[in-house]
Amino acid sequence: MATTMGQAINAALMDAMEADPKVLMFGEDVGQLGGVFRVTDGLQAKFGDKRCFDTPLAESGIMGTAIGLAMYGWRPIAEMQFDGFSYPAFEQIVSHLAKMPNRSRGTVKLPVTVRIPYGGGIGAVEHHSESPEAYWAHTAGLKVMTPGTPEDGYSMMREAIRSDDPVIFLEPKRRYWMKSDADLPIETEPAHKAVVRREGTDVTLIAYGPMVRTAMETAEAAEDEGISVEVLDLRSLSPLDTPTMIECLKRTGRAIVIHEAAMTLGMGAEVATRLQERAFYHLEAPVLRVTGFDTPYPPAKLEEFWLPDVDRILDAIERSLSY
Amino acid sequence: MNSNVSEAIALLPPNEPVHLLDPDGTYHEDPEHPLDLDEAQLRELYRLMVVTRKVDREAINLQRQGQLGVYASCMGQEAAQVASAYALKTEDWIFPSYRELGAALVRNVDAVGLLQLYRGTWLSDHNPYEHNFALMAIPIGTQALHATGFAMGARFDDNPLVSMVYFGDGGTSEGDPHEAMTFAGVFKSPVVFFVQNNQYAISVPLDRQTAAPTLAHKAIGYGIPGYRCDGNDVLATYAVTRRAVERARSGEGPAFIEALTYRMEAHTTSDDPTRYRTQEELDEAAKTDPIARMRNFLTQRDLYDDALENEIEQQAKDTATTVRAGIYDAPHGDPMELFDHVYVDPTGYFEGQRELLAAELEGGDA
């Protein structure tokens, strides 16, 4: 039976809580309701309201208490209901979650998973479609993961919960309904490894999270035009798998980074820099970026003009090949 | 009367802060706050305050001599800190801000380790799990949530411990303590919010922090009782805290204590308080000194004599000397340690950066 990414993440939470009685799941509306996207559906019914519970509507409170719970010895999974509402928790994440293990010389471990549905494409109202990944990836002490497939939704979530380091787990909300026939449980590659989703020889599309599927669709469209496109799914944004990115570049000589987040100082800037620093002579063309514009995320009726799509990526492929 | 209103009234702080000791040492009995300390404990409270003041002074001196980058003194707040920490059991947890030397010394946290943060050799150097004393928190009020989460965690685990968080009058304006009180109230967490109202947030006086009648009134909005005590009165602070702590331990939920005190020193050694307060004000505050008051009380009870004075003075001096030597001898941080504790599993991080620094340290080309 087909499983969606949302169901796969739900299954991972279920299995992790079954496997480790120290795992707690909490946030806004995650209990009785099962989450606004139903990703925590059934957890409270199965594990009771001590292990899966609703909190007051206060994101800094959710994050700060998660830190205290982890200090005590629990293994908290905290949900920020939407990307745009993770910002009240910014100080707790950046000043404490990311730094406390280092400040304590490793005596304090904070095995906290922060789940954040992120990105656009679902016609949501303002503040519900943000791509804040660069903030987290820029912060030393955090690991940042984002699945691009249902299989990774399961496996990477299990890995995030097992991790003794804090993990920001970004769930591409427009792909919650993306289906797979894979059987769960499933174990994919470790999260710090980028994975080639499609082999190709002319150009490499480097994508993550919601843009992996868009990149795959672009590769198919390009094939019709006789262009062989490789798709690399980064999966982990911190750390970044530089060696695999370089291997890809060595094969195709051309790379295009794709993300929904705005261009300036986004993940694409980092990827492009690493490639030119370490594989300069393998570049047949400049590393290009296809991203959201440097504007606030648009209102729903305009998001199709903002989000990178197959056509915009095909244009970039054409530009890359023209060098 | 509407029952919600009467519930709220029950949470209100008393009209006057609890006060048991006059500055001249006169003790006032209060049946609600009986003196359940034996002679040895009374002396111990005094000893801890004297040692705190001595080490605090030593830290200021060390900063003046360039051994510490900066230091935030707790002078004047010894009673508030020592008494409140002393009211806890050793299994209870303390979540300090950055000014809690007195509370740390109650927990036998090595002051040399604590001062590493101010020396700049590392960011802390004590294991919180050895002392049940969390790392100092500099971002104001943020630790209130850690204390609350910790207390929630203890309760989930049926562990009867209490956590206590220290913050100041300025901290009551930040958001996190309010979110912490919301959570603590809802989850009935065994956490005590201990506010040292030392009248100033750097230079900004209390009346610029709040229009509330008192800080303790803030608590009732969260369904938490607000208590007030004379924070320069070690016995009153102990009695009020003890009651709040045991109430929390018994499952009745969190409490908020406003201890009225005064910051005798500058905010930190980088601050110039002459720009915002007068000598007259300081002289007035000095009259309420917590240590002199307790010494007067002990003397009146025949619990204090020259022998005890000499013993405590000597001990305070020895501790300060040890701290001094420890700071002077403390090695500067190992630059390579910068990479050691950022991640439990650092796979994939610091590509080339560790090597770059190592090469620089060896004086070679990177």
Side-chain angles (χ1 to χ4, degrees), chain A residues 8-319:
Chain A
I9 295 172
N10 175 263
L13 297 171
M14 194 76 82
D15 292 352
M17 290 179 78
E18 181 77 45
D20 182 352
K22 289 288 185 193
V23 175
L24 305 176
M25 173 74 237
F26 52 93
E28 297 153 9
D29 305 296
V30 302
Q32 181 70 30
L33 181 66
V36 292
F37 292 104
R38 306 295 180 267
V39 173
T40 56
D41 192 30
L43 297 179
Q44 189 174 74
K46 180 153 184 200
F47 299 103
D49 62 5
K50 290 279 185 297
R51 295 198 49 209
C52 177
F53 55 92
D54 290 324
T55 66
L57 204 167
E59 291 80 8
S60 187
I62 293 169
M63 206 55 251
T65 53
I67 291 168
L69 285 158
M71 287 178 74
Y72 183 86
W74 296 96
R75 196 167 275 267
I77 308 167
E79 179 180 300
M80 301 282 113
Q81 193 167 80
F82 282 92
D83 34 52
F85 309 129
S86 64
Y87 305 143
F90 196 83
E91 182 182 33
Q92 285 291 342
I93 294 176
V94 171
S95 295
H96 292 300
L97 183 66
K99 291 187 172 74
M100 201 183 289
N102 181 60
R103 298 179 71 220
S104 75
R105 290 192 146 124
T107 56
V108 176
K109 292 188 177 59
L110 296 179
V112 177
T113 302
V114 186
R115 295 185 39 242
I116 312 177
Y118 82 119
I122 63 163
V125 72
E126 194 184 11
H127 306 296
H128 292 70
S129 303
E130 309 261 308
S131 293
E133 62 267 27
Y135 304 140
W136 315 126
H138 189 65
T139 302
L142 302 176
K143 294 190 168 177
V144 184
M145 302 179 187
T146 178
T149 67
E151 291 84 346
D152 272 355
Y154 181 89
S155 184
M156 286 165 65
M157 177 54 82
R158 292 297 304 270
E159 185 178 342
I161 297 166
R162 270 196 314 271
S163 168
D164 284 334
D165 291 307
V167 176
I168 307 292
F169 195 89
L170 297 167
E171 301 173 7
K173 68 171 84 78
R174 68 193 291 196
R175 304 299 179 212
Y176 271 145
W177 301 274
M178 178 182 182
K179 288 193 175 109
S180 161
D181 291 325
D183 285 328
L184 302 180
I186 188 167
E187 191 169 342
T188 60
E189 287 282 296
H192 66 273
K193 301 297 287 181
V195 167
V196 174
R197 294 277 172 226
R198 179 189 169 106
E199 293 182 355
T201 53
D202 294 331
V203 58
T204 303
L205 300 180
I206 301 178
Y208 56 85
M211 285 290 111
V212 173
R213 174 142 152 195
T214 310
M216 295 295 279
E217 289 166 2
T218 307
E220 273 171 44
E223 192 174 33
D224 297 340
E225 299 177 23
I227 304 167
S228 170
V229 174
E230 181 183 58
V231 176
L232 180 68
D233 178 358
L234 289 175
R235 305 168 78 241
S236 165
L237 305 183
S238 172
L240 265 181
D241 183 1
T242 314
T244 302
M245 283 166 10
I246 290 174
E247 280 169 31
C248 291
L249 189 73
K250 284 179 179 171
R251 274 195 294 273
T252 63
R254 297 168 204 275
I256 299 168
V257 198
I258 305 158
H259 52 68
E260 283 189 20
M263 177 178 282
T264 300
L265 294 173
M267 295 305 302
E270 182 61 33
V271 170
T273 304
R274 289 192 186 207
L275 290 176
Q276 64 87 11
E277 276 180 341
R278 302 185 200 185
F280 186 70
Y281 290 108
H282 295 280
L283 285 168
E284 300 291 339
V287 179
L288 300 179
R289 289 176 287 173
V290 181
T291 70
F293 298 125
D294 286 344
T295 70
Y297 194 85
K301 296 287 186 266
L302 299 177
E303 70 180 354
E304 65 175 298
F305 303 102
W306 194 90
L307 288 166
D309 61 7
V310 170
D311 287 341
R312 196 174 285 161
I313 301 168
L314 283 172
D315 286 348
I317 290 174
E318 207 171 294
R319 265 184 291 141

Side-chain angles (χ1 to χ4, degrees), chain B residues 4-23:
Chain B
N4 288 339
V5 173
S6 58
E7 273 174 39
I9 288 172
L11 300 172
L12 280 170
N15 286 330
E16 293 298 325
V18 175
H19 167 95
L20 303 176
L21 270 189
D22 290 344

Side-chain angles (χ1 to χ4, degrees), chain A residues 58 60-62 64-65 68-69 71-72 74 91-92 96 102-103 105 107 141-143 165 192 238-239 242 278, chain B residues 122 124-125 128-129 136 139 142 145-146 149-150 153 156-157 159 176 179 183 337 341 343-345 347-349 351:
Chain A
S60 187
I62 293 169
T65 53
L69 285 158
M71 287 178 74
Y72 183 86
W74 296 96
E91 182 182 33
Q92 285 291 342
H96 292 300
N102 181 60
R103 298 179 71 220
R105 290 192 146 124
T107 56
L142 302 176
K143 294 190 168 177
D165 291 307
H192 66 273
S238 172
T242 314
R278 302 185 200 185
Chain B
W122 197 257
S124 78
D125 197 26
Y129 295 96
M136 290 193 280
T142 51
L145 284 165
H146 309 159
F150 199 93
F156 292 164
D157 199 28
N159 181 341
D176 278 359
E179 295 196 12
F183 274 63
E337 194 183 351
H341 315 296
Y343 295 99
V344 176
D345 175 9
T347 306
Y349 285 101
E351 290 169 358

Side-chain angles (χ1 to χ4, degrees), chain B residues 59-117:
Chain B
I60 293 172
N61 293 342
L62 284 164
Q63 192 281 330
R64 298 280 182 249
Q65 293 155 13
Q67 294 297 318
L68 301 179
V70 68
Y71 176 67
S73 166
C74 65
M75 185 179 173
Q77 300 173 219
E78 294 89 350
Q81 294 190 11
V82 165
S84 53
Y86 197 73
L88 295 169
K89 293 186 177 179
T90 51
E91 60 265 35
D92 296 335
W93 268 67
I94 290 175
F95 290 78
S97 76
Y98 49 81
R99 200 187 293 284
E100 271 69 60
L101 176 68
L105 292 177
V106 172
R107 282 301 171 90
N108 275 319
V109 176
D110 178 15
V112 176
L114 212 64
L115 292 172
Q116 299 299 319
L117 176 69

Side-chain angles (χ1 to χ4, degrees), chain B residues 244-259:
Chain B
V245 166
E246 292 317 318
R247 181 182 174 280
R249 196 186 311 285
S250 70
E252 288 181 66
F256 181 102
I257 299 171
E258 177 186 7

Side-chain angles (χ1 to χ4, degrees), chain B residues 1 25 56 86 115 120 175 248-249 265 269 287 291-292 316 350 354 359 362:
Chain B
M1 199 188 299
D56 187 74
Y86 197 73
L115 292 172
R249 196 186 311 285
E265 269 293 335
T269 48
K287 292 177 187 163
I291 296 182
F350 318 127
R354 202 194 290 259
E362 280 171 24

